[in-house]
Amino acid sequence: MKRDISMLIKEMTLEEKAGMCSGLDFWHLKGVERLGIPSVMVSDGPHGLRKQDDSGDHLGINDSIKAVCFPPACLSACSFDRELIKEMGIQIGKEAQAENLSVMLGPAVNIKRSPLCGRNFEYYSEDPYLSGEMAVACIQGIQSQGVGTSIKHFAANNQEYNRLSCSSEVDERTLREIYFPAFETAVKKAQPKTVMCSYNMINGVYSSENPWLLTDVLRDEWGFKGYVMSDWGAVNERVAGLKAGLELEMPSSNGTGDMEIINAVKDGTLDEAVLDRAVERILNVVFDYIDNRHNEKLELEADHEEAKHIACESMVLLKNEEMLPLKKEEKVAFVGGFFKTPRYQGGGSSHINSFKVDSAWNCLNGEKNVTYVEGFSAVDDVYDENLAKEACEAAKNADKVVIFAGLPDSFESEGYDRKHMHLPDCQNRLISEIAKVQPNLVVVLHNGSPVEMPWLSYAKAILEAYLGGQAGGSAVAAILYGDVNPSGKLAETFPYKLADNPSYFNFACPKKVEYHEGLYVGYRYYDKKEMNVAFPFGHGLSYTTFEYSNIRLSADRITEKDTVKVSLDIKNTGDVAGKEVVQIYVKDNTGVCSRPVKELKGFEKVYLEPGETKTVEICLDSRSFAWYSTDINGWFTGSGEYEILAGASSRDIRLSAVLNIESSQILPLNLNINTTIGELMSNDKTKKYAIKFQRQLDTFFNGLDDTDIQKEDAQEEDKAVGDEMSEATTASTPLRNLVGFGIYKKEEMLALIEEIKIENI
Ligand code: BGC
């Protein structure tokens, strides 16, 4: 329906306009009845509906309506399947329509900087490309149903500790390359109706009042068209926030924020046009929802099946020494409280009131060769000698034992971070006891983020079920018995131990967290350090095997503006049908600046019958090769060689091809009196000056003239170690020292610098 929103705004009073910019209560925006502006509701998110009654709470513990808990992002990201995530979004969008929810508060795309972040279970990945692709699919799915999304938490919200007051201290290149891209891709490709700003500060400025973040980057650079809302209680100074680009304060601040806006307009410190623009942005989204209202029914059972399907497609088989799949004729002892009571979601604002929950026990109980003993509880860390004895006995009398281990609820949640990466001691202890009596040991893990595995070497199979959503239990049973062939791949690295993680020294600090590791997050760090890890990013096994061959590029020489198509053949070389996630990484060999060894820039999931071969085509866009240079305030692609790597994981590269890029981009010289001779030497265009300065220094120190130097050059082989030192010293000499040595007068040097600059523009 066509309506004139600017006319509507003209008819609104100052109070009504200020009122539109904050919540009515915990979940509703205000309406203006006399003007036909409805009060709409928003709701968490991200992996299902948490529609609360009027009595909202911040902890997600008050009852919400019965709904479907789809797999949280820690698991669904492992599907590496855009269509699947989109499908999940469509179902959530339909449910939101059925429940009259205008915006779903998700997806949550913060990068998993540390395995300890209490909310990692809600986030997709340590990798910005994967996070971005998942976010786009989720947003497109939900918004296809006429319901908005709120991508969150923008930005650099990577720990729970002091999240409302802490500052994430991150350099710009790292923000641009690691912490922003998921938001950037989502905005550019899927235009979420809203963005939720984060609680924290970035480099000392609250996200909720950061004009660079909310306006310069989000709107002016990326083209965001919707409205920005605050995370719940993230507003610091309301008027500063509005000016910076924060349109909606959530939840209600009981009139405080509104009054500040009204006063600021009245006393002239806030231009009313800024308020009008904010109201317009909010109303555009409100009416977009109203105009797309349609009837939907909650299809809980059908969505439960969809939730199971997503879980089946995402769980990751970490290890398998001919243990899985289990056979019906084998006697199997199942141990661990999670068998009956799976942990399938995390605590906090995403907590869903599931209308039903599958457990593996529901699916397998009553089967002839299945026994179950608890061994340890799913809720605490108490080693019970009697339960342990019973479990060892059952394991000994079986052909195989499958231990359902995991993190109890209290170990990870929104609101606090983990202190360590351990499973409860009682579980580790029982696993080692059982291994003494039954070597055929399988572990199934229920956790929202990586755990240390002291039993890694002797567990013969490990299935990472993550938090599987309400149907996760039946998905586990289906995978264990081979009804489903696992095809998930890790969306994060599993280090051997916490201390291996690059954020180890700078995490959960009270006031400021310094992101010293910079770009080197997750596999970018472990690769650079050549460090062994328990399981690498992108890893995941199948009950079949795949062969990669015949990689080719659509061009082997391109410019920095071009795209390139990577094709390769993939064959299912095993006996059962299966899916493989082909991953494409780019390695920059130009040496222009420090870059990760390789970065994920494309992937595709392929289904193959036994013996079948398919050709996979993956397009790499121009951004795939670029890095962010603060010298040009933009993306830069250096000229030279890049390697295109195709792999089954970040540490299992099967094929590679070389690509040459001829880039027209040149980094500015930023030449000044403190530029070193070495810097001039490393740039083709200024090399001749560096050589000249070098000779002048040689003459100055050794009394050699040009002819002597040429003679010396001819006797190169006789040069001793001392020359290396002298070369290094010369290379690190700044131009000002040539003035200091009296080789140039200061004015002469400054004039020469100008001359070099002009020559190089
Ligand atoms: C969380 C958000 C959530 C909001 C509403 C906040 O505490 O950080 O992710 O959407 O509450 O529940």
Side-chain angles (χ1 to χ4, degrees):
M1 184 180 148
K2 238 185 145 36
R3 71 186 82 237
D4 191 341
I5 287 179
S6 50
M7 269 309 291
L8 213 50
I9 294 170
K10 285 203 179 91
E11 288 177 44
M12 293 171 83
T13 63
L14 177 58
E15 288 69 22
E16 284 166 344
K17 288 191 286 190
M20 273 317 296
C21 295
S22 71
L24 172 69
D25 53 29
F26 218 78
W27 300 118
H28 292 87
L29 276 68
K30 296 196 195 80
V32 182
E33 219 182 322
R34 67 176 188 94
L35 296 174
I37 300 173
S39 162
V40 293
M41 186 173 187
V42 301
S43 173
D44 287 307
H47 42 264
L49 263 50
R50 182 176 73 108
K51 185 184 180 190
Q52 284 190 320
D53 301 335
D54 297 339
S55 54
D57 73 275
H58 211 75
L59 301 171
I61 33 192
N62 275 356
D63 264 1
S64 46
I65 58 158
K66 292 272 180 206
V68 177
C69 178
F70 289 90
C74 60
L75 178 62
S76 63
C78 298
S79 71
F80 277 70
D81 188 335
R82 300 173 183 88
E83 278 311 306
L84 190 78
I85 301 299
K86 188 169 176 185
E87 189 49 43
M88 170 166 149
I90 291 173
Q91 301 315 328
I92 292 177
K94 285 186 174 165
E95 290 188 6
Q97 276 288 355
E99 285 295 329
N100 197 6
L101 299 170
S102 68
V103 170
M104 289 303 298
L105 304 177
V109 301
N110 296 99
I111 292 294
K112 299 180 199 233
R113 175 175 176 255
S114 161
L116 298 185
C117 172
R119 273 184 111 167
N120 274 0
F121 71 88
E122 264 185 83
Y123 301 147
Y124 288 122
S125 178
E126 69 187 22
D127 180 77
Y129 176 77
L130 177 60
S131 302
E133 293 299 295
M134 296 291 101
V136 166
C138 170
I139 294 165
Q140 286 176 340
I142 295 176
Q143 294 197 167
S144 71
Q145 300 309 302
V147 170
T149 53
S150 194
I151 189 168
K152 64 191 186 183
H153 310 85
F154 188 51
N157 181 181
N158 309 98
Q159 71 179 39
E160 287 301 279
Y161 180 60
N162 274 1
R163 62 179 173 163
L164 280 95
S165 56
C166 191
S167 178
S168 303
E169 303 283 307
V170 203
D171 68 276
E172 184 172 357
R173 181 174 170 205
T174 301
L175 285 171
R176 299 283 191 163
E177 291 189 32
I178 303 292
Y179 297 99
F180 281 1
F183 294 97
E184 179 182 2
T185 310
V187 167
K188 288 182 172 168
K189 289 197 190 166
Q191 247 338 309
K193 295 287 175 196
T194 84
V195 168
M196 188 191 291
C197 76
S198 60
Y199 281 127
N200 51 285
M201 295 188 246
I202 299 178
N203 300 323
V205 184
Y206 274 107
S207 298
S208 63
E209 56 194 41
N210 188 331
W212 172 73
L213 186 74
L214 301 184
T215 297
D216 301 354
V217 174
L218 181 65
R219 287 191 188 273
D220 299 347
E221 284 186 35
W222 301 346
F224 175 61
K225 296 194 175 60
Y227 71 80
V228 178
M229 71 169 87
S230 70
D231 197 347
W232 267 230
V235 171
N236 177 46
E237 290 290 343
R238 183 61 189 106
V239 175
L242 193 67
K243 286 183 185 169
L246 175 79
E247 280 82 29
L248 178 67
E249 171 180 25
M250 283 304 280
S252 156
S253 60
N254 296 310
T256 311
D258 302 4
M259 197 41 80
E260 284 171 6
I261 293 174
I262 293 166
N263 290 340
V265 171
K266 285 189 177 157
D267 69 19
T269 48
L270 174 68
D271 184 350
E272 195 164 351
V274 172
L275 175 61
D276 290 355
R277 194 182 56 192
V279 175
E280 183 180 348
R281 288 170 178 164
I282 294 171
L283 290 184
N284 280 337
V285 175
V286 169
F287 283 113
D288 187 70
Y289 170 68
I290 296 299
D291 294 344
N292 285 294
R293 282 289 288 141
H294 57 267
N295 277 340
E296 285 289 349
K297 268 199 1 245
L298 269 192
E299 301 284 0
L300 295 180
E301 286 295 344
D303 288 355
H304 178 84
E305 286 310 308
E306 182 66 28
K308 176 179 172 189
H309 176 59
I310 295 162
C312 287
E313 296 288 306
S314 308
M315 289 181 179
V316 188
L317 184 59
L318 294 177
K319 179 174 177 182
N320 190 16
E321 291 173 354
E322 291 173 24
M323 274 296 106
L324 297 176
L326 303 169
K327 297 179 195 68
K328 292 276 180 208
E329 58 277 14
E330 286 165 348
K331 276 174 37 192
V332 183
F334 288 90
V335 174
F338 296 95
F339 186 64
K340 258 189 165 174
T341 326
R343 175 148 176 270
Y344 64 94
Q345 64 175 329
S349 61
S350 67
H351 200 270
I352 285 155
N353 187 4
S354 299
F355 85 95
K356 71 172 185 184
V357 180
D358 290 352
S359 67
W361 186 79
N362 293 144
C363 306
L364 301 172
N365 179 33
E367 294 281 338
K368 200 165 100 222
N369 286 322
V370 167
T371 54
Y372 166 65
V373 286
E374 190 180 2
F376 50 79
S377 115
V379 293
D380 54 26
D381 185 5
V382 179
Y383 191 82
D384 181 316
E385 298 284 352
N386 290 332
L387 290 185
K389 219 166 126 212
E390 191 190 21
C392 288
E393 208 46 41
K396 198 160 90 188
N397 295 329
D399 298 317
K400 290 177 179 169
V401 59
V402 182
I403 303 178
F404 276 52
L407 297 176
D409 271 330
S410 62
F411 273 54
E412 57 183 351
S413 164
E414 177 178 344
Y416 55 90
D417 302 304
R418 286 195 293 169
K419 295 275 173 292
H420 55 72
M421 249 175 70
H422 312 154
L423 283 170
D425 289 342
C426 71
Q427 298 186 22
N428 285 333
R429 185 166 158 202
L430 187 60
I431 294 171
S432 73
E433 290 302 315
I434 288 180
K436 291 181 192 153
V437 297
Q438 178 52 270
N440 293 332
L441 178 91
V442 179
V443 176
V444 179
L445 287 169
H446 302 71
N447 46 320
S449 42
V451 290
E452 289 170 19
M453 303 179 199
W455 32 263
L456 177 59
S457 60
Y458 53 81
K460 289 199 175 151
I462 305 169
L463 176 64
E464 178 51 86
Y466 275 110
L467 305 181
Q470 66 178 53
S474 48
V476 167
I479 291 173
L480 287 178
Y481 278 91
D483 301 329
V484 167
N485 186 355
S487 60
K489 299 274 187 173
L490 287 181
E492 63 190 322
T493 309
F494 276 48
Y496 279 116
K497 57 184 189 305
L498 180 63
D500 291 349
N501 181 265
S503 73
Y504 187 63
F505 289 114
N506 293 287
F507 182 75
C509 317
K511 289 200 166 10
K512 281 183 179 183
V513 186
E514 314 259 358
Y515 287 39
H516 285 308
E517 71 287 354
L519 306 171
Y520 297 98
V521 174
Y523 69 88
R524 287 166 170 75
Y525 174 79
Y526 302 113
D527 279 2
K528 199 80 169 180
K529 292 277 290 183
E530 299 179 1
M531 194 183 267
N532 284 333
V533 295
F535 296 105
F537 175 84
H539 169 77
L541 304 171
S542 162
Y543 295 150
T544 187
T545 47
F546 302 97
E547 188 182 275
Y548 289 57
S549 64
N550 199 17
I551 189 167
R552 58 251 182 229
L553 306 180
S554 55
D556 55 12
R557 192 164 283 276
I558 60 170
T559 74
E560 82 282 9
K561 298 192 183 83
D562 298 330
T563 59
V564 66
K565 191 167 76 195
V566 187
S567 312
L568 57 90
D569 298 338
I570 176 140
K571 181 176 182 188
N572 181 346
T573 45
D575 302 331
V576 288
K579 289 183 181 171
E580 171 69 324
V581 177
V582 175
Q583 300 157 46
I584 301 292
Y585 296 85
V586 172
K587 180 169 192 276
D588 179 345
N589 286 341
T590 63
V592 178
C593 71
S594 171
R595 292 195 74 176
V597 175
K598 59 179 169 312
E599 296 182 281
L600 183 76
K601 298 295 174 185
F603 61 82
E604 212 50 64
K605 194 164 189 171
V606 209
Y607 173 81
L608 294 160
E609 293 288 343
E612 192 184 5
T613 302
K614 276 186 186 156
T615 298
V616 180
E617 290 182 344
I618 294 172
C619 238
L620 298 177
D621 61 12
S622 53
R623 176 65 82 78
S624 310
F625 311 101
W627 54 278
Y628 192 86
S629 163
T630 47
D631 283 341
I632 57 168
N633 294 321
W635 294 89
F636 177 83
T637 304
S639 289
E641 186 187 286
Y642 294 77
E643 271 174 80
I644 311 300
L645 311 170
S649 90
S650 62
R651 291 276 170 102
D652 184 8
I653 300 301
R654 306 283 182 88
L655 303 168
S656 75
V658 171
L659 176 71
N660 271 286
I661 300 187
E662 282 164 23
S663 174
S664 63
Q665 284 185 295
I666 300 168
L667 289 173
L669 259 177
N670 288 338
L671 196 62
N672 59 56
I673 198 134
N674 285 314
T675 301
T676 63
I677 293 179
E679 285 172 75
L680 293 178
M681 193 64 97
S682 66
N683 185 318
D684 276 352
K685 296 202 161 180
T686 52
K687 202 170 183 165
K688 62 176 185 201
Y689 291 99
I691 294 171
K692 175 174 162 180
F693 295 142
Q694 209 173 29
R695 297 220 155 127
Q696 288 169 327
L697 280 175
D698 265 341
T699 310
F700 176 76
F701 284 117
N702 307 321
L704 301 178
D705 61 18
D706 267 9
T707 339
D708 294 329
I709 293 167
Q710 275 157 25
K711 262 193 229 151
E712 279 218 342
D713 283 351
Q715 295 158 3
E716 192 71 36
E717 61 280 10
D718 295 335
K719 286 192 175 178
V721 184
D723 275 3
E724 272 176 39
M725 192 190 107
S726 125
E727 266 169 39
T729 317
T730 308
S732 57
T733 304
L735 299 184
R736 70 161 197 275
N737 282 65
L738 281 92
V739 175
F741 297 143
I743 301 173
Y744 286 90
K745 290 210 174 65
K746 189 155 184 185
E747 311 77 69
E748 279 173 354
M749 180 52 87
L750 291 174
L752 190 53
I753 289 172
E754 285 315 304
E755 186 190 312
I756 305 175
K757 275 189 192 165
I758 290 165
E759 234 179 67
N760 286 288
I761 284 173

